[in-house]
Amino acid sequence: MRFPSPLSKYLGRLLALVAAITMAAQPVAAQSILRDAETEALLNDMAAPLIEAADLEPNNVDMVLINDRSINAFVAGGQAIYIHSGLIEAADTANEVQGVIAHELGHITGGHINRMRDGIGTATNISILSMLIGVAAALAGAGEAGVGIVAAGQQAALGKFLAFTRVQEASADAAGAEYLSRAGISGRGSIEFFKKLQNLEFRYGRSQADEATFGRTHPLSGDRIALLRETYIADPAWESPDDPELQARFERVKAKLYGYQADPNRTLRKFPETRQDVPARYARAYAYHKSALIDLALGEADALIAVNPADPYFLELKGQVLLESGRPEEAIEPLRKATQLTRNEPLIASMFGHALIATEDENNFAEAEQVLRAAVSRDRFNPFAWYQLGVVYAANGDMPRARLASAEQQVMSRQYGLAIRSAQFAEAGLPVGSPDWIRAQDIGLQARAELERLQDRR
């Protein structure tokens, strides 16, 4: 067995650094997306005035919720803003989340993801140059000098990249403040959220000294607060009150997410039965449902519906509890009403279609097909709806369209080999030149391209 030389250790660290930098530009990989109709509607409504202030096309900006309880938000290619569920949990107001959204819009308008490649390229060039010089020195007999050159180059590369990201963060802070101002939204929430981040830095013992800045991807939270406070206080929107309706919706969603993600016992301690408000009932309903206490979960759902019988999300909750408890027949009516009230909101409609299929009553299949086709026409990136639609097609004996629906679901689930085979089967059985036949070809091409891309990366 050979032990690695000091130089080879530094070369290994260099490769790890390059890999880490590359991964920093692709943070969404391997993270799961959490889809909820009410939460997505809230995030879209919170972002809408800021997107307009940023002069972006609203239909081109996607708000995506990541199922991760850490406090984070980021952009990753295109015009998509990814919000961790943990950020919703940490925030106290909708205004705080709007401050984060404004900042992320600053990254989009600044083209920071595209420019990230420039920063990576510069850092990598420094590392490679120092590595070559270091190897040359080592081969010439100056082993210690070679190790020193590689180590210094590695440190310089990291410092260059971190400085690059700090500049981007400061730029996004400034742009975010501008968008909040244009939208007439106070920056108080932005300051409060930065204070939360600063408290986390204190809790984890992170140095607040000026020299500590140089080892960070972001400026120190204290520096950001000091700089932004002056900008926000001088803005006419500083004294603007928070939107009470938006705040009430935020508190509902925050409790709902907590009930969905947290251990049921923790949820029941945080939201005891002595609390009869809407957020507490929401959270308890999910805690009871997760604990298989179905009657208690339905009791909370019914209490919510009694507060507002026309609230589609309360009806959706009841339908979900019934459906997932093996009572699809009872779930149909609340889900049908929720679907109607939201004008066929795709996620709710998908659950309604599932309930219709789960009854195993063929008389419900025609309605299920209609509902699910409407759902995927409005939201093609819904693998669950495509799967359910495939089940309906198969039950009706329409195997080409069943396999086409499977191909749609498989390509979104990154099952590219299966998607190719399903698309080929569908193409062979569909009328030549029809829209579905063309779509089958497109899916096959897309899946092959993704497979080739994955092979190239290896």
Side-chain angles (χ1 to χ4, degrees), residues 71 196-208:
I71 303 173
K196 287 181 170 64
L197 297 180
Q198 187 178 38
N199 287 337
L200 284 176
E201 292 172 2
F202 292 149
R203 185 183 305 173
Y204 295 133
R206 294 174 182 168
S207 174
Q208 302 295 300

Side-chain angles (χ1 to χ4, degrees), residues 77-225:
Q79 295 185 8
I81 297 176
Y82 296 86
I83 304 287
H84 281 211
S85 57
L87 189 147
I88 303 294
E89 183 179 338
D92 292 315
T93 66
N95 185 226
E96 290 181 25
V97 180
Q98 285 181 305
V100 174
I101 293 171
H103 171 90
E104 299 304 329
L105 286 169
H107 281 305
I108 291 174
T109 57
H112 291 169
I113 292 300
N114 292 331
R115 293 173 59 192
M116 182 73 74
R117 297 187 183 92
D118 297 334
I120 293 172
T122 301
T124 304
N125 289 339
I126 292 173
S127 295
I128 291 173
L129 179 61
S130 64
M131 180 183 70
L132 293 174
I133 296 173
V135 169
L139 292 175
E144 292 298 325
V147 170
I149 291 170
V150 172
Q154 183 186 51
Q155 187 66 30
L158 180 59
K160 188 76 173 179
F161 179 73
L162 293 177
F164 181 82
T165 62
R166 288 195 300 272
V167 169
Q168 288 192 328
E169 292 300 325
S171 172
D173 283 347
E178 180 182 350
Y179 302 151
L180 286 167
S181 176
R182 287 184 188 174
I185 298 172
S186 174
R188 293 191 308 273
S190 178
I191 294 295
E192 289 304 314
F193 199 79
F194 276 128
K195 287 180 179 178
K196 287 181 170 64
L197 297 180
Q198 187 178 38
N199 287 337
L200 284 176
E201 292 172 2
F202 292 149
R203 185 183 305 173
Y204 295 133
R206 294 174 182 168
S207 174
Q208 302 295 300
D210 289 342
E211 56 269 20
T213 301
F214 299 103
R216 297 168 56 97
T217 58
H218 292 57
L220 292 168
S221 295
D223 293 340
R224 300 170 87 173
I225 291 170

Side-chain angles (χ1 to χ4, degrees), residues 283-305:
R284 287 200 300 271
Y286 277 96
Y288 290 141
H289 183 37
K290 289 169 66 175
S291 301
L293 300 172
I294 305 307
D295 289 342
L296 291 176
L298 289 173
E300 297 292 357
D302 285 334
L304 289 170
I305 292 171

